[in-house]
Amino acid sequence: MAIISREQIVEGLVKILGKDQVITDEKVLKESSLDRYRKYEQVCEVYTQPIPAAVVNVMSAEEVSEVLKFANENEINVVPRTGHSAIEGGLETALKDSVVIDGSGMNKVLKVDTYNMQVTCQCGVPLQALDDMLREQGYTTGHSPQSKPLAQMGGLVATRSIGQFSTLYGGIEDMIVGLEAVFPNGKICRIKNIPRRAAGPDIRHIICGNEGAICFITEVTMKLFKWQPENNRYIGYKLDDQYMKLGFDCLREVMVAGYRPSFARLYDAADANMHFSGWLEEGKAILIWMAEGPANITPAIEAGIKEMMSKHPELEEVNPALIEKWYEGLNWGPEQIAEEAEEIKATQNIGITTEVSGSWDNIYEIYKTSCDRILAEVPDMTLMGGHSSHSYINGTNMYFVYYYNIVDCAPEEEINKYHDRINQIICEQVIKYGGSIVHHHGLGKARAKYVTQEYGSSYYMLKTLKQAFDPNGIMNMGTLIPLRK
Amino acid sequence: MRILGCFKAVPALDLLREEDWVADDSLRVDTEYVKLEWNCFDEGALEMMRKLSDLSEGLNVVFELDALTVGGKKADSFLKILYALGFSHAVRVESEEGAYTPPELLAELIAAYIQKKAEAYDVVVTGVQSADASHGKTPYLLAEMLQWPCISQVTGMEPAKGGCLKVTSQTGRGEKVQIVRPPCVLAVGNAPCAYLRVPTLKDKMRLGNRPIEYVDPGVLLSDAGAFADRIETLLALCPVDRSRDTVRIESGSPEEKAKVYYEQYLKGRLLKL
Ligand SMILES: Cc1cc2nc3c(=O)[nH]c(=O)nc-3n(C[C@H](O)[C@H](O)[C@H](O)COP(=O)(O)OP(=O)(O)OC[C@H]3O[C@@H](n4cnc5c(N)ncnc54)[C@H](O)[C@@H]3O)c2cc1C
């Protein structure tokens, strides 16, 4: 915790950045003390976390360096931030008098290099703006998380995010080329842009996924791909919910056969009903693929998948146009967030998600036993379901979706009574069956308490990294590694 | 007090892509891929009914809530939700999925259902209009057919003494509060709470699967069998020509232009008045 007073922190920051870049407005500070992990508290405007001393807007790597040096010398906890769309408590200011370092002002696209197929941008570039600009020129980053209209490059790399087309393009870890980041002692490091190298460990992965707990990311270079939506093919099947195990097997079959669709999804009936109730009967699960790429490849992927699926009498093909139209409306922007807040206030009904991953041989057990336990152990549930949306040769993810009514419960109690309880059940089942408790949202502070179970003996490596780069413990404390109470 | 809530499940038009707002060969916008949702005014109305029932706890009055919709099979999931929320009886007057039912016919079907029911309803609650057709006529036509008074733009209902209801509504001149003795039709407008509460999965399992009463519309209408003929089909759309000629008075000072304008264009019209 800081060794100087709140006032001295603000004074010091003003000296470095000037008054205009140091925000101390009470409302801004309160809203900067949390993220969507405490969605209910956010909606009720109840703030239980320590309110930060300031939010600073940084405009260059040099400014970040100066701010970090100041924080490091005075043991001030800092929380890096860009798009503010985090959902696992990564943005919570867990210690008194923290400083939020906001990089959203660093929003320049520095270079679009279509010959080497890579784009370099600052950490505050919104992904939506970047990809829209690229698509106009016939290119794409291939990254399309549901939070595309909200998230920015720094946060996307910091959380090891993943997009809807990951089965083809991979997660962000497969897309990043080079990076620039600033460490707590003020050191600015650049990792150069090259297609591959074997010069020691891949140090990009110290930065990617650090969740602001090791360094501040200032610049990102991403790969480019050709944008050719005219070749897209959509494939969909409905099946009875009781055949979810078969659904996972179908996803596996396609991956194992060597196909690389961009989109591969399996929704259980509860989740499917929220998306497809216009045409999908109640009680039906749904399997969806999308093939992207050159014109001679996508029809082949479509034909291959269809041929494999035709062997399963439990599946019934659906009109691909319905899938195409649906997927375009999948992303969430500020409008949906605002509407959701109104709905929560009015109904006291809230929806949360938890994403995990597992191998092909345990994902169904993880899914089934988690759902069963939650329904049996947690009160006031109004929906329990989920989908698999990112498949790999050796397994897939499970994105649990659950809603509950908040009954007789103060806003500050909601997290204990419902959200954490559900998270706990899911994490316990995942650990029991051998999956990962976090597929793409990051550990944040919400699931940091399970980090030793998640890492096992390799926790030594994570802890050593943290201690080596952040010996004074100033980087987003409580994230990745839980605070000692 | 027996209250019948009438609602419609409508396509969530905000999920429709911009490029899909085009009429097909039969002059309809295809909304098949978007999910159905409660018509917004009806959702507020149904929640208001539930709140009214909550408010009656401890009072010497029981509100029995029933729900009715005219629609296809997809509406059943909405009726099941209402069962799970404690509604006593759910009715679907069967019509083809997505078929357009004109407000006159809709009102006639609801009125006939109410009149044929052995146990009389005291109040009918509807939304003021639906999001898909937006006629805003059904509650008034229904009230006329039932020969009941109608209050529109209702924003609140509370239990009142002597089997009455305290009804708040918005009028051109502000808010109006009336003590109403049923029977009456209440058309809910901008309800303070536009969202219906969500039933728990346990309630859905416990209450949601009670049988829905399916009613053949032909049985309700006086001229049986005429239902299908009266479902209106849009045959053509003719845009109203609102184009006008424009003349630019080019030369001269503003005074001269004004003079030309008066002499050539305005004077004649004024004389005609
Ligand atoms: C509606 C919705 C849908 C979502 N869908 C997806 C999805 O499909 N896929 C997915 O992967 N995620 C998803 N998320 C989660 C979230 O959008 C991602 O984690 C995203 O990567 C966060 O980016 P951001 O710019 O908003 O980061 P922030 O919210 O600002 O920060 C997120 C984390 O990164 C750290 N951080 C931020 N900037 C930096 C920086 N410059 N340097 C170091 N650390 C930094 C923060 O300290 C914090 O721990 C979703 C979130 C929402 C609200």
Side-chain angles (χ1 to χ4, degrees):
Chain A
M1 223 150 40
I3 55 171
I4 55 174
S5 70
R6 199 173 168 88
E7 292 72 29
Q8 285 170 319
I9 293 174
V10 175
E11 259 170 47
L13 292 168
V14 169
K15 235 186 236 164
I16 298 168
L17 297 170
K19 241 178 152 178
D20 290 352
Q21 284 172 243
V22 180
I23 318 295
T24 53
D25 175 81
E26 193 63 21
K27 190 164 185 290
V28 174
L29 295 184
K30 280 184 172 166
E31 286 166 358
S32 300
S33 68
L34 78 180
D35 60 33
R36 283 170 63 83
Y37 167 53
R38 292 177 193 271
K39 194 181 345 184
Y40 190 56
E41 291 177 23
Q42 210 172 29
V43 165
C44 299
E45 296 180 34
V46 167
Y47 301 97
T48 56
Q49 301 306 293
I51 306 299
V55 174
V56 295
N57 293 322
V58 286
M59 305 309 280
S60 66
E62 288 68 31
E63 284 187 359
V64 175
S65 168
E66 289 305 312
V67 171
L68 285 181
K69 266 193 265 178
F70 171 71
N72 204 29
E73 276 158 21
N74 296 294
E75 296 178 23
I76 304 161
N77 181 48
V78 300
V79 176
R81 182 176 86 186
T82 48
H84 206 163
S85 70
I87 32 188
E88 299 296 338
L91 292 178
E92 277 174 21
T93 47
L95 294 180
K96 193 168 165 267
D97 296 339
S98 299
V99 172
V100 174
I101 307 181
D102 190 310
S104 59
M106 295 175 67
N107 56 9
K108 288 192 191 63
V109 177
L110 301 172
K111 188 173 180 190
V112 181
D113 178 353
T114 56
Y115 193 72
N116 290 312
M117 294 298 275
Q118 56 198 29
V119 57
T120 302
C121 47
Q122 290 183 309
C123 62
V125 168
L127 178 59
Q128 181 84 55
L130 175 67
D131 219 52
D132 286 354
M133 181 267 281
L134 290 169
R135 283 181 181 189
E136 272 174 26
Q137 302 175 37
Y139 299 97
T140 175
T141 58
H143 201 41
S144 190
Q146 198 195 9
S147 56
K148 193 173 175 182
L150 306 163
Q152 301 173 3
M153 295 317 298
L156 288 160
V157 173
T159 53
R160 282 179 75 87
S161 60
I162 202 164
Q164 289 142 9
F165 313 130
S166 68
T167 310
L168 177 62
Y169 300 105
I172 195 135
E173 69 276 16
D174 304 302
M175 300 167 172
I176 46 173
V177 183
L179 294 160
E180 182 190 72
V182 189
F183 287 81
N185 60 2
K187 177 87 185 153
I188 303 174
C189 295
R190 291 187 74 86
I191 301 176
K192 65 183 175 184
N193 299 329
I194 28 98
R196 184 180 189 268
R197 66 177 172 183
D202 193 340
I203 51 174
R204 291 175 301 180
H205 296 296
I206 296 173
I207 296 172
C208 181
N210 91 81
E211 296 188 42
I214 290 176
C215 60
F216 190 103
I217 301 158
T218 45
E219 199 184 291
V220 180
T221 300
M222 300 264 287
K223 291 174 190 166
L224 288 183
F225 300 90
K226 280 191 89 175
W227 167 241
Q228 29 202 347
E230 63 282 4
N231 302 333
N232 290 358
R233 297 293 177 108
Y234 302 84
I235 308 131
Y237 295 89
K238 55 185 173 181
L239 59 161
D240 286 342
D241 203 37
Q242 56 170 319
Y243 296 127
M244 274 298 282
K245 171 86 178 73
L246 171 71
F248 284 115
D249 286 343
C250 291
L251 289 178
R252 178 181 174 277
E253 238 179 272
V254 169
M255 296 308 293
V256 171
Y259 292 99
R260 293 290 294 273
S262 66
F263 197 110
R265 289 186 170 223
L266 167 68
Y267 283 79
D268 73 3
D271 198 1
N273 190 253
M274 291 201 296
H275 293 266
F276 309 104
S277 62
W279 51 270
L280 187 68
E281 302 89 325
E282 256 183 283
K284 289 279 183 191
I286 188 157
L287 266 167
I288 298 166
W289 288 274
M290 172 171 126
E292 238 185 283
N296 53 353
I297 288 184
T298 54
I301 296 178
E302 182 190 16
I305 294 177
K306 282 188 171 171
E307 201 205 317
M308 278 188 282
M309 293 309 118
S310 67
K311 305 207 167 79
H312 298 293
E314 299 85 350
L315 307 185
E316 188 185 332
E317 201 171 343
V318 299
N319 176 1
L322 296 171
I323 312 289
E324 179 180 359
K325 289 176 178 187
W326 156 80
Y327 109 91
E328 285 186 14
L330 205 53
N331 289 348
W332 268 51
E335 237 175 68
Q336 286 81 0
I337 301 269
E339 202 178 304
E340 182 197 36
E342 284 308 307
E343 206 163 332
I344 294 169
K345 268 193 252 178
T347 58
Q348 297 299 304
N349 181 263
I350 195 166
I352 312 273
T353 60
T354 301
E355 26 58 66
V356 304
S357 67
S359 308
W360 292 120
D361 66 357
N362 60 30
I363 195 69
Y364 178 72
E365 275 69 32
I366 290 173
Y367 158 71
K368 182 79 174 68
T369 59
S370 300
C371 289
D372 289 349
R373 271 193 66 190
I374 291 164
L375 288 174
E377 296 173 32
V378 184
D380 311 315
M381 296 301 298
T382 61
L383 186 141
M384 182 68 229
H387 59 262
S388 158
S389 42
H390 307 274
S391 280
Y392 310 89
I393 188 79
N394 55 342
T396 190
N397 81 311
M398 189 64 216
Y399 192 85
F400 290 100
V401 176
Y402 43 90
Y403 282 71
Y404 46 84
N405 284 335
I406 298 163
V407 183
D408 298 332
C409 177
E412 45 276 50
E413 275 307 311
E414 181 274 328
I415 210 106
N416 294 328
K417 183 170 175 187
Y418 300 103
H419 190 160
D420 276 356
R421 201 161 155 195
I422 297 172
N423 256 348
Q424 186 185 337
I425 293 174
I426 294 173
C427 291
E428 280 172 5
Q429 293 315 105
V430 171
I431 289 163
K432 179 172 169 189
Y433 287 101
S436 169
I437 61 166
V438 186
H439 178 261
H440 62 262
H441 287 164
L443 275 166
K445 295 181 183 73
R447 286 179 281 181
K449 52 179 166 279
Y450 306 106
V451 68
T452 49
Q453 284 163 285
E454 169 70 21
Y455 273 69
S457 59
S458 65
Y459 177 63
Y460 163 74
M461 295 166 73
L462 181 72
K463 202 170 165 209
T464 306
L465 262 185
K466 171 78 179 167
Q467 280 167 349
F469 286 110
D470 184 21
N472 292 350
I474 64 152
M475 297 299 292
N476 206 353
M477 293 305 283
T479 290
L480 295 187
I481 294 174
L483 287 173
R484 256 179 284 157
K485 288 279 173 217
Chain B
M1 188 181 294
R2 296 189 74 224
I3 306 180
L4 179 68
C6 302
F7 74 94
K8 206 169 178 181
V10 293
L13 295 179
D14 55 336
L15 296 180
L16 206 62
R17 300 184 311 177
E18 215 171 301
E19 58 266 39
D20 289 337
W21 279 101
V22 282
D24 59 17
D25 293 344
S26 55
L27 295 168
R28 293 181 59 125
V29 173
D30 178 14
T31 57
E32 192 198 353
Y33 72 92
V34 297
K35 62 181 182 185
L36 291 182
E37 61 183 11
W38 303 99
N39 174 45
C40 60
F41 293 110
D42 304 349
E43 185 173 3
L46 293 163
E47 176 59 24
M48 214 177 268
M49 288 169 67
R50 272 298 330 172
K51 280 220 172 78
L52 179 71
S53 173
D54 295 344
L55 288 172
S56 73
E57 272 172 36
L59 301 178
N60 208 6
V61 51
V62 177
F63 291 100
E64 190 190 312
L65 310 180
D66 290 0
L68 177 148
T69 188
V70 177
K73 204 172 160 4
K74 286 180 191 166
D76 283 357
S77 57
F78 292 78
L79 291 165
K80 285 181 188 172
I81 289 175
L82 294 174
Y83 265 144
L85 286 175
F87 278 61
S88 312
H89 189 63
V91 186
R92 178 162 66 82
V93 178
E94 291 174 297
S95 94
E96 213 175 289
E97 210 70 70
Y100 167 67
T101 316
E104 295 77 10
L105 182 55
L106 212 50
E108 204 176 319
L109 290 168
I110 301 170
Y113 177 80
I114 291 168
Q115 282 157 347
K116 289 204 163 117
K117 203 78 190 161
E119 277 177 274
Y121 282 106
D122 301 293
V123 179
V124 179
V125 177
T126 70
V128 279
Q129 67 181 46
S130 71
D132 53 352
S134 300
H135 291 293
K137 280 160 75 175
T138 308
Y140 310 106
L141 292 168
L142 174 63
E144 196 178 313
M145 288 170 195
L146 293 171
Q147 295 284 296
W148 292 3
C150 177
I151 301 178
S152 68
Q153 302 297 345
V154 170
T155 55
M157 307 172 209
E158 287 169 52
K161 280 186 194 141
C164 295
L165 284 180
K166 183 175 161 191
V167 177
T168 309
S169 58
Q170 276 174 340
T171 70
R173 273 173 286 151
E175 207 171 77
K176 191 170 178 180
V177 180
Q178 301 171 75
I179 302 292
V180 181
R181 181 173 301 283
C184 61
V185 174
L186 301 177
V188 172
N190 292 320
C193 179
Y195 296 100
L196 183 63
R197 63 193 66 185
V198 184
T200 61
L201 289 168
K202 285 199 175 116
D203 284 341
K204 273 189 177 173
M205 277 189 284
R206 196 166 55 88
L207 303 167
N209 288 323
R210 281 178 293 155
I212 292 167
E213 179 189 351
Y214 297 115
V215 181
D216 176 352
V219 175
L220 292 176
L221 298 172
S222 41
D223 45 350
F227 178 69
D229 304 339
R230 290 180 58 192
I231 293 283
E232 285 176 14
T233 311
L234 191 59
L235 295 176
L237 285 171
C238 305
V240 180
D241 184 8
R242 295 189 199 279
S243 58
R244 290 191 181 188
D245 277 345
T246 307
V247 179
R248 248 184 118 94
I249 305 169
E250 292 291 352
S251 58
S253 64
E255 289 80 6
E256 286 163 345
K257 281 183 183 166
K259 193 157 187 242
V260 175
Y261 175 55
Y262 176 74
E263 293 291 345
Q264 294 185 14
Y265 300 100
L266 206 55
K267 197 170 159 186
R269 289 195 192 186
L270 289 174
L271 286 175
K272 271 194 214 154
L273 287 176

